[in-house]
Amino acid sequence: MKNTSRVKLRALTEGAVFVALAQILGYLKLFELPNGGSICLAMLPIFIYCARWGFGKGMLASFAFSVLQLLLDGAYAWGWQSMIGDYIVAFTVLGVAGLFHRYKNGFFIGTVVGSLARFLVAWVVGAVVWGEYMPDTFFGMTMTSPWFYSLLYNGSYMVISMVLCLVVGALLWKPLGKFIRGEDLVQT
């Protein structure tokens, strides 16, 4: 088997394992909001994969994860707009983290950028698709704008999930940093 075939097979195999791990971690929710969105570590394996393999493979793994999220956790998708926005687009954009895989602290930068990208999608979808279901009060504040409501709602779980991924990533950095950075993939 050619070396490039081995690398592609390894990327594909690792992608499947990391996507499966992300899906499992998605079931271990620390907190879940009533209309979807949860605090968990599901994004962490995707960000690690993106830091190892880069943008293209990271986007493919993120897309696979988005399909699993829709099919296995899509209880809150009431229409095609939500299916596409809340699941397919929102989880696929996690792959932008792969743009930073060659940077010194690419995992951390990618985690912030990928989380921000997911938040932006959730924020827009929350205001446009879910805005009509906005409650009168949220977090003890009167809600008058679906954009502000969506900012609070989606930000409340996304910021904490991002911080969790950064903290756990930092804890894994010393023992697994070479692996996370993909240094084990370099041919000597």
Side-chain angles (χ1 to χ4, degrees):
M1 186 187 300
K2 288 185 176 180
N3 194 31
T4 56
S5 296
R6 284 187 183 154
V7 170
K8 288 179 182 177
L9 180 60
R10 183 170 180 176
L12 183 63
T13 305
E14 282 186 21
V17 170
F18 278 85
V19 168
L21 182 57
Q23 188 65 34
I24 290 166
L25 288 173
Y27 294 131
L28 304 175
K29 299 172 177 155
L30 300 175
F31 181 78
E32 186 171 17
L33 290 166
N35 296 318
S38 60
I39 297 170
C40 65
L41 286 168
M43 298 185 297
L44 181 62
I46 301 300
F47 292 143
I48 292 173
Y49 184 80
C50 289
R52 282 182 61 72
W53 290 99
F55 178 72
K57 292 175 178 70
M59 288 298 288
L60 185 58
S62 297
F63 175 72
F65 181 51
S66 76
V67 172
L68 286 178
Q69 283 291 289
L70 174 63
L71 295 176
L72 302 177
D73 199 35
Y76 300 103
W78 290 353
W80 66 268
Q81 303 95 329
S82 177
M83 290 179 192
I84 292 171
D86 285 328
Y87 292 94
I88 301 300
V89 178
F91 287 99
T92 299
V93 298
L94 295 175
V96 300
L99 290 171
F100 305 95
H101 84 286
R102 296 199 191 273
Y103 287 55
K104 180 180 177 184
N105 292 307
F107 166 78
F108 299 101
I109 298 166
T111 296
V112 171
V113 172
S115 296
L116 181 61
R118 180 177 167 207
F119 164 75
L120 290 173
V121 171
W123 179 46
V124 170
V125 172
V128 174
V129 176
W130 297 102
E132 66 184 282
Y133 303 104
M134 177 180 70
D136 294 331
T137 59
F138 188 69
F139 287 149
M141 293 181 271
T142 302
M143 294 292 111
T144 58
S145 166
W147 291 97
F148 185 65
Y149 167 65
S150 184
L151 177 85
L152 289 176
Y153 187 95
N154 292 296
S156 69
Y157 68 89
M158 279 302 303
V159 169
I160 298 170
S161 291
M162 177 189 70
V163 169
L164 273 174
C165 287
L166 289 169
V167 168
V168 173
L171 293 172
L172 295 173
W173 193 254
K174 184 161 182 142
L176 299 175
K178 183 177 182 179
F179 176 79
I180 293 170
R181 290 186 298 273
E183 293 172 7
D184 61 316
L185 302 173
V186 178
Q187 298 294 323
T188 54

